[in-house]
Every structure is written in structure tokens, then in C-alpha cells.
Amino acid sequence: MEIILVTGGMGFIGSNFIRYIVENDKDFRIINVDKLTYAGNPENLKDMMKGDHLQFYKVDICDYNAISTIIKKEKVEYIVNFAAESHVDRSIENPDIFIQTNVIGTQTLLNAAKKSEIKKFLQISTDEVYGSLGFEDPPFTETSNLAPNSPYSASKAAADLLVRSYYKTFNLPINITRCSNNYGPYQFPEKLIPLMINNALNDKELPVYGKGINIRDWIHVYDHSSAILKVLLEGKIGEIYNIGGNSESTNIDLVKRLLKILKKPENLIKFVKDRPGHDLRYAIDFNKIRNELNWEPKVNLEQGLEETINWYKNNQEWMNNVIDKEYLTYYEKHYKNR
Ligand code: NAD
Ligand code: TYD
């Protein structure tokens, strides 16, 4: 049995990753460490908690003593670090917590990992560390320059460089994955797709930043999870792997697609003030993971969006529970001046 410490496992991608490995391979024991911020929701794994294959600790990744104790006590072999502040808009409004969790938190984990005999430390990073592309530029490769434009992406780039340095200096066995925009079940409704689905289901305005011409590459969280497990078990030590969904779309086209599937009118769309420093385009060249690890995304965007919409339609109680007072205050303040 392999013993994996997952950080941030109560969040969107972390919980989907845990679900993916529990459903696909029973021979893992998963230790889930999460601080339970506004984005961490124990409901996301409620149906998974039976049996001893999954253990949860409410712990901050910045707490060195707690993390070291868990690694020792649970005889952890692999660490997958999802824990992060993950929303660009929040990083513009309050960068400090992004530096604390994403940079100091990652370094704390690295220090704890260095003191133990782990097989691998996998850092879950993002394509946003590469900055922004023009419409005609070729997609980012693993050797593209790091040129982050938001406090969020800058904190993730800083963490990537720390992870790299612990490999070069201390021989810590590491990988870094850099993935494009995820969508799927259990995503907090501050991010584009669940926000738009939820607003449309409730006949509320859909706030599209600027002219809606910014492009993102979309990947289903199921495909991201399968790529992470591949890299964890088969990735060459020290390497970075880009993960992409092969599905570029402008925001406006994506929002119109959602409205069409939902059978809601386009006049719900409201163009609002643009995000400061808004990256124009992300696109990912994932030939490395395709050729070296034989991985490809399987979910096509149309089918993935339909399934995702159905999931949110069938889980409105989940949505109502995560939209708490803190979130409503944030949302109101955030959109007031747009
Ligand atoms: P999320 O915001 O949904 O979840 C983050 C989780 O981390 C939450 O459960 C939260 O409680 C936990 N957390 C936050 N601070 C913590 C701390 N100090 N200690 C312990 N736990 C803490 O984020 P997500 O969308 O699931 O993203 C997960 C990871 O994947 C992040 O590192 C993010 O940078 C990366 N990523 C996300 C995307 C995307 O599209 N969402 C794309 C590429 C990479
Ligand atoms: P988001 O889901 O926040 O992810 P990221 O900024 O990390 O790519 O946003 C995706 C795109 O959608 C981005 O170009 C900003 C845009 N967007 C809107 O137009 N309206 C919104 O309300 C949100 C949250 C995002």
C-alpha cells in the first residue's frame, strides 16, 4: 500500500483527486491535510470518509511541527501539494495570504519533506506562472519563461522555484505539474464556470470581464487528476510537466455555450469592468507528458460542460451551503464597482 499525503484535499481539485484515486485504486492510504479555509469543504468528501483508506487532519501547511508529526506518524511516502489560495481576484484584493500559504506554506512542507524519507514531493502548479500569450503565440512549453502577472501567479511561481531549489540543493525527489483552467464538480462558485452556471440557474446577471475576449484552455478535473497520478507514480524525478485540455475558448464563447446548454437567454450577460492585469490568453503545449508518460485528456469540452451543468443542477444544496455569508459579502463588494 502506498501512503500519500494530500494537502488541500477538501478543495476543488484536491477532493476530486482523492475521489479519483479511491475510485480507481484501492491500494492507497490517503492522509488529507487541510486548513478548511472558505474554499475547503468537508462535504466534498463526505461519502468517501468510511474505512481507514482516508484520514483527515485540520492543519495549516505553514505549521511545521504539525506537518512533521503527521509525516512521521503516518509513514508518508508521497506528498501532493494542492493547498493554496487559488483565486486571482482575491489575490488582487488581498495578496498577503497568498504569499503566506502559497510561498511560506510550500517551503514549510519542503522542509518537513526534506527531514523524512519520501519517495516524491509533487507540487501542483498552474500555467499562469508563464504569464500571458498573444492570440497568435505558440502555447507555453515547460521551458517558457516564468512571467507571472498577478499576485496569485507570482506566489505560485515563487513556490515552483523553491520546489526546484530543494531538488537541486538537497536532492529532494520532486515533480512540478502546471495545468490549465480546471472545471467540474465541487468547484467554488467564485471561478468562472460554476459562477456562471449558478447565476444563470437563478436568473442573475453573468458578469463578463472586459469584452470577454480573453482565452483560457479548459480541462476537466477528472483529466487533471489522472495526469497527477501518472506524474506521481511515473514522472521522472526533477521534471516539470505541463498538463492541458486541448480546449481553448474565449470567455464570451464559453459563457454563451453554457447559456445554450442551460436554455437561458444571452441577455443575462453583463459586460463589467475588466480585471487589472488581466492575462489575455493561456494555452498549453503538453507534448512532454503525452510522449513520455502516455497521457492525454479524455473528456471533450462539450460533454464535460453538459455533465458539469447537470452536476450543479443536481447539487444545488451543495451550492447553497458553500455560498455562506462570508462569500456573499465578498461577492457583493467585488462586483459593486464593476
Ligand atoms: P481551492 O481554492 O478550491 O482549494 C484550496 C484548498 O486548500 C482548500 O481546501 C483550502 O481549505 C486549502 N488551504 C488553503 N490554505 C491552506 C493552508 N494554509 N493550509 C492547508 N490547507 C489550505 O483550489 P483548487 O482550485 O482546488 O486548486 C488546487 C491547486 O491547484 C492550487 O495549488 C492551484 O494553484 C492549482 N491549480 C488550480 C487550477 C484551477 O483551475 N482551479 C489550475 C491549475 C492549478
Ligand atoms: P477564473 O475562473 O477566475 O480563472 P483564472 O483567472 O485563474 O483564469 O477566470 C477565468 C476567466 O474568466 C478569466 O479570464 C476571468 C474571467 N471571468 C469573468 O469574465 N467573470 C467572472 O466573474 C470571473 C470570476 C472570471
Side-chain angles (χ1 to χ4, degrees):
M1 185 184 328
E2 314 278 10
I3 303 171
I4 308 182
L5 174 72
V6 169
T7 71
M10 292 301 192
F12 164 50
I13 306 176
S15 65
N16 274 286
F17 175 69
I18 290 175
R19 197 169 282 279
Y20 177 83
I21 41 182
V22 171
E23 282 169 1
N24 284 281
D25 196 323
K26 301 275 174 273
D27 220 18
F28 288 102
R29 179 166 153 75
I30 303 153
I31 317 299
N32 178 12
V33 165
D34 197 301
K35 183 182 166 185
L36 298 182
T37 67
Y38 76 93
N41 183 358
E43 289 289 307
N44 295 1
L45 289 175
K46 205 173 66 185
D47 55 320
M48 300 260 114
M49 293 306 288
K50 291 171 215 104
D52 66 354
H53 59 281
L54 187 53
Q55 174 77 41
F56 174 62
Y57 291 92
K58 183 177 185 302
V59 162
D60 187 329
I61 57 164
C62 300
D63 183 344
Y64 176 82
N65 288 335
I67 297 288
S68 294
T69 306
I70 292 167
I71 292 176
K72 233 178 260 150
K73 180 173 165 235
E74 299 285 358
K75 301 188 172 61
V76 167
E77 298 170 289
Y78 295 90
I79 299 176
V80 187
N81 182 27
F82 293 92
E85 289 294 330
S86 65
H87 190 36
V88 172
D89 292 322
R90 288 188 191 243
S91 84
I92 295 167
E93 282 156 24
N94 178 16
D96 299 13
I97 185 68
F98 284 74
I99 307 308
Q100 182 62 29
T101 287
N102 300 1
V103 184
I104 309 287
T106 301
Q107 196 224 347
T108 307
L109 285 175
L110 288 166
N111 280 340
K114 181 160 79 74
K115 285 267 161 58
S116 59
E117 292 286 309
I118 58 155
K119 290 185 185 164
K120 189 172 283 178
F121 183 104
L122 172 52
Q123 174 70 2
I124 306 301
S125 187
T126 163
D127 59 358
E128 302 190 27
V129 298
Y130 298 122
S132 183
L133 294 168
F135 291 123
E136 304 300 328
D137 290 337
F140 300 122
T141 70
E142 289 81 358
T143 55
S144 297
N145 288 337
L146 297 187
N149 293 316
S150 72
Y152 162 66
S153 52
S155 68
K156 292 296 288 184
D160 283 12
L161 294 179
L162 283 167
V163 174
R164 179 180 191 273
S165 78
Y166 275 62
Y167 165 61
K168 293 282 182 186
T169 306
F170 305 114
N171 285 322
L172 189 73
I174 65 104
N175 282 128
I176 297 170
T177 54
R178 294 182 179 145
C179 188
S180 50
N181 284 57
N182 284 223
Y183 70 97
Y186 301 103
Q187 187 168 29
F188 197 82
E190 63 191 354
K191 306 279 166 58
L192 182 73
I193 289 183
L195 176 82
M196 297 297 168
I197 295 174
N198 189 48
N199 282 12
L201 284 173
N202 292 293
D203 298 310
K204 287 202 214 142
E205 284 173 347
L206 310 191
V208 172
Y209 298 168
K211 295 192 167 71
I213 56 167
N214 304 68
I215 292 177
R216 298 292 182 264
D217 170 43
W218 293 97
I219 181 172
H220 195 279
V221 67
Y222 176 90
D223 281 328
H224 189 190
S225 298
S226 74
I228 292 168
L229 190 58
K230 265 255 152 149
V231 173
L232 187 68
L233 301 179
E234 298 171 35
K236 200 171 148 228
I237 299 291
E239 294 293 311
I240 296 166
Y241 294 92
N242 281 351
I243 301 168
N246 224 357
S247 298
E248 282 185 62
S249 172
T250 61
N251 293 338
I252 189 65
D253 282 352
L254 187 78
V255 170
K256 285 183 178 170
R257 259 168 114 155
L258 293 172
L259 285 171
K260 198 164 166 215
I261 302 171
L262 284 157
K263 300 194 176 62
K264 293 283 183 177
E266 286 187 8
N267 64 10
L268 283 176
I269 293 172
K270 185 184 175 204
F271 291 96
V272 297
K273 199 166 104 193
D274 209 354
R275 172 187 280 171
H278 196 174
D279 286 336
L280 180 64
R281 174 175 168 240
Y282 306 139
I284 274 276
D285 178 331
F286 60 91
N287 279 319
K288 182 170 169 178
I289 189 170
R290 188 185 349 233
N291 297 336
E292 288 183 16
L293 303 183
N294 197 20
W295 174 89
E296 279 211 320
K298 291 204 171 82
V299 183
N300 104 352
L301 186 59
E302 194 62 27
Q303 176 204 340
L305 290 178
E306 278 178 25
E307 282 175 17
T308 301
I309 285 175
N310 282 334
W311 189 87
Y312 286 100
K313 271 187 177 168
N314 295 330
N315 288 276
Q316 293 194 39
E317 202 182 316
W318 177 90
M319 185 62 91
N320 293 337
N321 287 338
V322 297
I323 300 184
D324 61 3
K325 258 172 56 205
E326 187 274 332
Y327 176 66
L328 282 176
T329 317
Y330 158 77
Y331 189 79
E332 238 170 61
K333 204 173 113 202
H334 179 70
Y335 288 101
K336 202 169 63 193
N337 298 323
R338 291 198 110 98

